[in-house]
Amino acid sequence: MRITALVVASALFMQNLDGTAVATALPAMAQAFGVPPAALSAAITSYLVSVTVFIPASGWVADRFGAKRVFLAAIVLFTLSSVACALSQSLGQLILARIVQGAGGAMMVPVGRLLLLRRARRDALLTATTWLSMPALLGPLLGPPLGGVLTDAWSWRAVFWINLPVGLVGLALAWWVIPRSEAERIPPPDLIGMALVGAALTAFMVGIETIGRGLASPMLPPLAIGGGLVLSWAAYRHCRRAPHPAIDFSLFAIPTFRAATATGGLFRMAAGAIPFLVPLTLQVGFGVSASVSGMVSLASALGSFSMRPMAGFVLSRFTMRQVLMASAVCFAAIMGVYAAMASGWPLALVFAVLLIGGLSRSLGFVSLGTLAYADIPPDRLSAATALGGVAQQLPKAVGVAIAAGCVQFGMLIGGHAHAGRADFGFAFLVLAIVVAGAVPLFGTLPRDAGEGIVARRGDKPAPAE
């Protein structure tokens, strides 16, 4: 199990390295394309929305063609589309390449997680997810400084080229280590459901991305958001009635899955916006270089990385409900501190604040990732990983869009053409309120939620593979 987890983690490493390195390079991309830095949020949300749109098909595709085969193909697609990003000559080309890259990520990460979950016992879930997440966290740890150095020394294009060697190594390891998985005879895909879900997500995100940007007619944002909501309702109605739906909403009847996905979405909105807001705050608000921004930004990932090995110790002594509520409170508080950061603060203090922020939310993510699949029957794992993947990626895209919208709103209210420190602070404050909203919802979890997912002393250990 551990070897499989490490190989799957190589795919997560590549995805996380890409996301955090790209965020550090956003101001340089904006300058190269001649657009405001906030407009580059489209380079992040286009990827996240693409991932979200294609994830519902991942479970069906994995069952139909074999999880290992799909996992390998996804790594190839992600790597080649990264090369296309590096060769982009305009923002439109970059967004198109990022959409294709998102399609690869949509198959790569959920299918990789499925390969691991099918081989893990319930009492080994925390161990499995820890082995999966630790190498994957090296991506956010290395991404900011690497992205900053590459951007200053060469070009923003270099942050996409680094996926080429990583992808080739991951492909070779997956081919060699992961056992072959046979294709299964399964019902035909729910094409109507997939189309409705994809159209709803796309319309909704187009609406959020264009609010107050002056990129299109003033009528487009409300029409797109309204259309997205109508399509979402249609998708929900269809999937509730379809015998084999694209999205199995009945999984929300499982309290642990519902808490980890729906309520956890508030947590993920703020976390998803951090890689977008922090580099912009440092480079645009504080005026530091991309390299310095990257070195300071890695503090957040360093905090997350440091907390992961302690997750088992904490969860073996406190209930899942207590851990999630405490993590949400701490995360909301630290987001409030982010909002108060000023250009006069020493960078060492900013580093320390970001480090504490990484620590505060990491335990929550470990808990959410483990709790989501604690009570899922084995025959519904494919459906759960598909829906869980959507629930993980969509809030991140919404969080980035909300952050960009708050920055734009702050500029509008302040009457200035360029974003300033106060505009970024306003975005952090709004997201702190979003995270705080998860606290009472986590409080509704049963006291014994997630019981048994942490192996206790004296338990028979899960077999290593």
Side-chain angles (χ1 to χ4, degrees), residues 24 78 107 112-113 147 166 206 250 254 302 324-325 345 351 389 437 461:
T24 306
F78 187 92
M107 298 294 166
R113 186 179 292 111
V166 176
V206 166
S250 67
I254 302 174
L302 182 61
L324 287 173
M325 291 180 68
W345 287 24
F351 186 95

Side-chain angles (χ1 to χ4, degrees), residues 13-14 16-26 28-29 138-166 279 283 289-299 301:
F13 168 80
M14 179 166 62
N16 292 339
L17 178 70
D18 176 89
T20 50
V22 168
T24 306
L26 288 182
M29 292 183 194
L138 290 175
L141 190 62
L142 299 176
L146 185 60
V149 170
L150 290 175
T151 299
D152 284 344
W154 286 282
S155 164
W156 62 265
R157 301 180 188 277
V159 303
F160 291 106
W161 283 112
I162 58 178
N163 284 337
L164 184 58
V166 176
Q283 294 179 52
S289 67
S291 299
V292 173
S293 168
M295 293 301 296
V296 175
S297 297
L298 73 83

Side-chain angles (χ1 to χ4, degrees), residues 40-118:
L40 262 295
S41 65
I44 297 179
T45 55
S46 59
Y47 172 82
L48 293 173
V49 171
S50 178
V51 170
T52 307
V53 167
F54 287 103
I55 276 178
S58 63
W60 184 89
V61 173
D63 289 341
R64 174 63 181 82
F65 298 102
K68 177 178 179 177
R69 188 179 294 113
V70 173
F71 184 62
L72 294 174
I75 293 177
V76 172
L77 181 60
F78 187 92
T79 304
L80 292 179
S81 56
S82 297
V83 174
C85 290
L87 298 175
S88 298
Q89 299 300 313
S90 67
L91 179 57
Q93 291 179 9
L94 177 64
I95 290 174
L96 181 61
R98 290 285 281 173
I99 290 172
V100 178
Q101 192 182 37
M107 298 294 166
M108 185 171 65
V109 176
V111 174
R113 186 179 292 111
L114 180 62
L115 283 166
L116 178 63
L117 291 173
R118 283 177 170 172

